[in-house]
Amino acid sequence: LFELRWHPVPLFKIPAVHGPQDQWQPWWVDWLIKHSDESDIVAHLPFPQGSTVRDYEATTDAMFWQMRHRRTMVNGYSGFFPDSFGEVQTACTTFPSPESLAALKNLGVRWCIVSRAVFATNNPQPMAAGGLQHMYFDEPNGVDIYLLE
């Protein structure tokens, strides 16, 4: 009995999606497809600061949805880290500071996809003051999209 003891396993929260079953995707992905060019570069924020699998869970989700929106990402995971990852990860610990926005601009980032839960704000205007223009909020998934000016 001790060898087979059951341990509770936290379940993954599936994002709110829409569309026909073969086209399910979060609203923010649909918005990004319609309002950006395939050549645009995106950054998903925040960048993970740890090294555990749990720290990279949001990045894994972002990489999955990248298969739908097809925009280049500056984020990375496992064996798929861009050369600039370490530098931009460090700069973005203070997002949306001028230094973090400059690092993202230097990489050609046009869109910042931001987790509202992490930045805990119901008012996107403070970030907009620093060179980010608030463009869209996916309420069911708690994701804001900003245009980096």
Side-chain angles (χ1 to χ4, degrees), residues 104-126:
L104 293 170
K105 282 182 188 179
N106 286 340
L107 294 175
V109 171
R110 182 166 166 85
W111 301 99
C112 294
I113 301 165
V114 179
S115 168
R116 189 168 279 204
V118 174
F119 290 99
T121 178
N122 288 325
N123 180 3
Q125 297 313 312

Side-chain angles (χ1 to χ4, degrees), residues 17 38 67 69 78 91 119 125 133 145:
V17 294
E38 280 196 30
M67 291 188 297
H69 64 68
S78 187
F119 290 99
Q125 297 313 312
Q133 182 180 353
I145 297 180

Side-chain angles (χ1 to χ4, degrees), residues 36-42 69-72 108-111:
S36 67
D37 295 326
E38 280 196 30
S39 61
D40 286 346
I41 299 173
V42 301
H69 64 68
R70 314 292 290 170
R71 285 16 175 208
T72 300
V109 171
R110 182 166 166 85
W111 301 99

Side-chain angles (χ1 to χ4, degrees), residues 1-11:
L1 290 174
F2 290 109
E3 290 178 19
L4 301 174
R5 195 173 96 180
W6 176 79
H7 294 283
V9 177
L11 299 177

Side-chain angles (χ1 to χ4, degrees), residues 13 17-18 43 45 47 52 56 62 92 94 101 114 122 133 143:
K13 183 179 181 240
V17 294
H18 69 101
L45 294 140
F47 277 80
T52 68
Y56 281 85
C92 285
T94 59
L101 297 180
V114 179
N122 288 325
Q133 182 180 353
V143 172

Side-chain angles (χ1 to χ4, degrees), residues 1-147:
L1 290 174
F2 290 109
E3 290 178 19
L4 301 174
R5 195 173 96 180
W6 176 79
H7 294 283
V9 177
L11 299 177
F12 178 75
K13 183 179 181 240
I14 297 172
V17 294
H18 69 101
Q21 189 168 356
D22 63 338
Q23 295 294 318
W24 282 358
Q25 57 198 17
W27 286 273
W28 69 264
V29 172
D30 190 48
W31 189 93
L32 190 65
I33 290 168
K34 291 176 182 173
H35 295 91
S36 67
D37 295 326
E38 280 196 30
S39 61
D40 286 346
I41 299 173
V42 301
H44 289 265
L45 294 140
F47 277 80
Q49 296 305 311
S51 59
T52 68
V53 171
R54 186 181 257 333
D55 294 328
Y56 281 85
E57 186 176 304
T59 302
T60 304
D61 291 343
M63 292 175 81
F64 174 79
W65 293 116
Q66 189 272 342
M67 291 188 297
R68 292 288 184 126
H69 64 68
R70 314 292 290 170
R71 285 16 175 208
T72 300
M73 289 174 43
V74 296
N75 305 72
Y77 180 62
S78 187
F80 303 100
F81 285 106
D83 293 338
S84 58
F85 180 78
E87 184 179 316
V88 75
Q89 179 188 32
T90 300
C92 285
T93 57
T94 59
F95 181 83
S97 68
E99 296 80 20
S100 65
L101 297 180
L104 293 170
K105 282 182 188 179
N106 286 340
L107 294 175
V109 171
R110 182 166 166 85
W111 301 99
C112 294
I113 301 165
V114 179
S115 168
R116 189 168 279 204
V118 174
F119 290 99
T121 178
N122 288 325
N123 180 3
Q125 297 313 312
M127 282 205 262
L132 294 168
Q133 182 180 353
H134 188 254
M135 301 299 290
Y136 182 74
F137 175 49
D138 176 352
E139 188 170 349
N141 292 296
V143 172
D144 285 292
I145 297 180
Y146 293 89
L147 176 63

